[in-house]
Amino acid sequence: KVGYKFCKINIFSYFFRNEKSQRNKSWKAIFMDMYSDLGRYIQYYATLKKAWDDLEKYLAQHCPRMIGSLKESVQEEDLDAVEAQIGCKLPDDYRCSFRIHNGQKLVVPGLMGSMALSNHYRSEDLLDIDTAAGGFQQRLGLKQCLPLTFCIHTGLSQYMALESVEGRNSYEIFYQCPDQMARNPSAIDMFITGKIILELERETV
């Protein structure tokens, strides 16, 4: 039944067409290896793999130096260790993206967009999982929030809420906007940029 489900959905067809290193194995051996390693990501892998591949093709043509900033993938045990460290579960689409690329090095230009306007500069890097975990927030206003990006010019980040607290929904992605008029210094407004990591990566491509 599991095999039928995978064949019907055809979620790994993209992988089979593009990974030449698998040619010396039977399709069944490839299938079993992938299912044991990536089976939990059946809903996301094909979409995210294509998004990353399309992005790399675009960068090769328009900004080849940025490709060198992309980090290699991480393993399941690395992601499990981060969840244990921060005490929260990471959404599967976010985990799946790290199984393809572990974010990027902190360089300019950033993968998530750059701009220059007069004397204002903005360049957002996509954080690797360890750097993101190091910036996990538990303070008022950003409780249970994980940074996804970082701008080296402004120090600002996009965050993802890992739990439904302080008026946020789980896995919403947002910019924090401190409320200068609030009596509580921890009060923030939010500019929501996505509801799941898939939305963020599709917009990047």
Side-chain angles (χ1 to χ4, degrees):
K1 290 182 178 179
V2 171
Y4 174 76
K5 184 177 181 180
F6 261 76
C7 291
K8 183 178 180 182
I9 297 177
N10 204 25
I11 198 70
F12 290 135
S13 62
Y14 190 83
F15 180 87
F16 293 142
R17 290 196 303 268
N18 290 278
E19 297 295 327
K20 296 180 180 179
S21 62
Q22 302 292 337
R23 288 181 179 176
N24 61 336
K25 292 185 178 182
S26 69
W27 72 266
K28 184 176 181 180
I30 297 172
F31 178 87
M32 296 303 294
D33 286 347
M34 286 206 64
Y35 183 76
S36 63
D37 187 32
L38 297 167
R40 70 179 291 175
Y41 307 122
I42 184 172
Q43 292 180 280
Y44 309 112
Y45 182 85
T47 300
L48 286 168
K49 183 67 163 66
K50 184 178 186 306
W52 273 111
D53 285 354
D54 289 347
L55 180 59
E56 288 184 51
K57 290 177 184 177
Y58 178 86
L59 292 177
Q61 294 179 359
H62 300 282
C63 192
R65 64 180 176 144
M66 195 182 293
I67 294 180
S69 74
L70 301 181
K71 293 189 173 184
E72 295 294 325
S73 63
V74 297
Q75 301 302 309
E76 287 296 285
E77 53 266 31
D78 300 315
L79 298 170
D80 292 342
V82 167
E83 289 184 339
Q85 174 186 338
I86 65 178
C88 290
K89 291 292 184 182
L90 302 172
D92 276 351
D93 59 340
Y94 186 56
R95 289 178 60 112
C96 183
S97 183
F98 283 115
R99 295 303 314 276
I100 302 169
H101 277 297
N102 183 24
Q104 68 172 144
K105 303 170 186 175
L106 293 178
V107 296
V108 176
L111 185 64
M112 304 307 291
S114 298
M115 64 166 288
L117 181 63
S118 183
N119 62 345
H120 178 76
Y121 298 95
R122 190 76 174 264
S123 182
E124 285 195 60
D125 293 301
L126 182 64
L127 296 178
D128 64 68
I129 190 60
D130 289 328
T131 304
F136 179 67
Q137 298 292 317
Q138 294 180 312
R139 61 187 173 89
L140 289 175
L142 285 174
K143 278 188 176 180
Q144 311 302 91
C145 290
L146 187 77
L148 303 181
T149 67
F150 180 74
C151 174
I152 62 176
H153 297 295
T154 64
L156 297 178
S157 294
Q158 290 186 68
Y159 285 89
M160 176 166 57
L162 295 184
E163 294 185 1
S164 297
V165 295
E166 297 184 326
R168 292 179 290 271
N169 296 317
S170 292
Y171 308 142
E172 277 184 339
I173 300 169
F174 64 95
Y175 284 108
Q176 61 164 328
C177 305
D179 188 344
Q180 303 296 330
M181 303 299 292
R183 294 183 179 180
N184 182 353
S186 67
I188 66 168
D189 294 322
M190 298 185 300
F191 180 80
I192 297 175
T193 55
K195 294 183 179 179
I196 55 176
I197 198 69
L198 276 175
E199 290 183 2
L200 195 64
E201 296 209 357
R202 283 172 179 162
E203 290 175 2
T204 301
V205 176

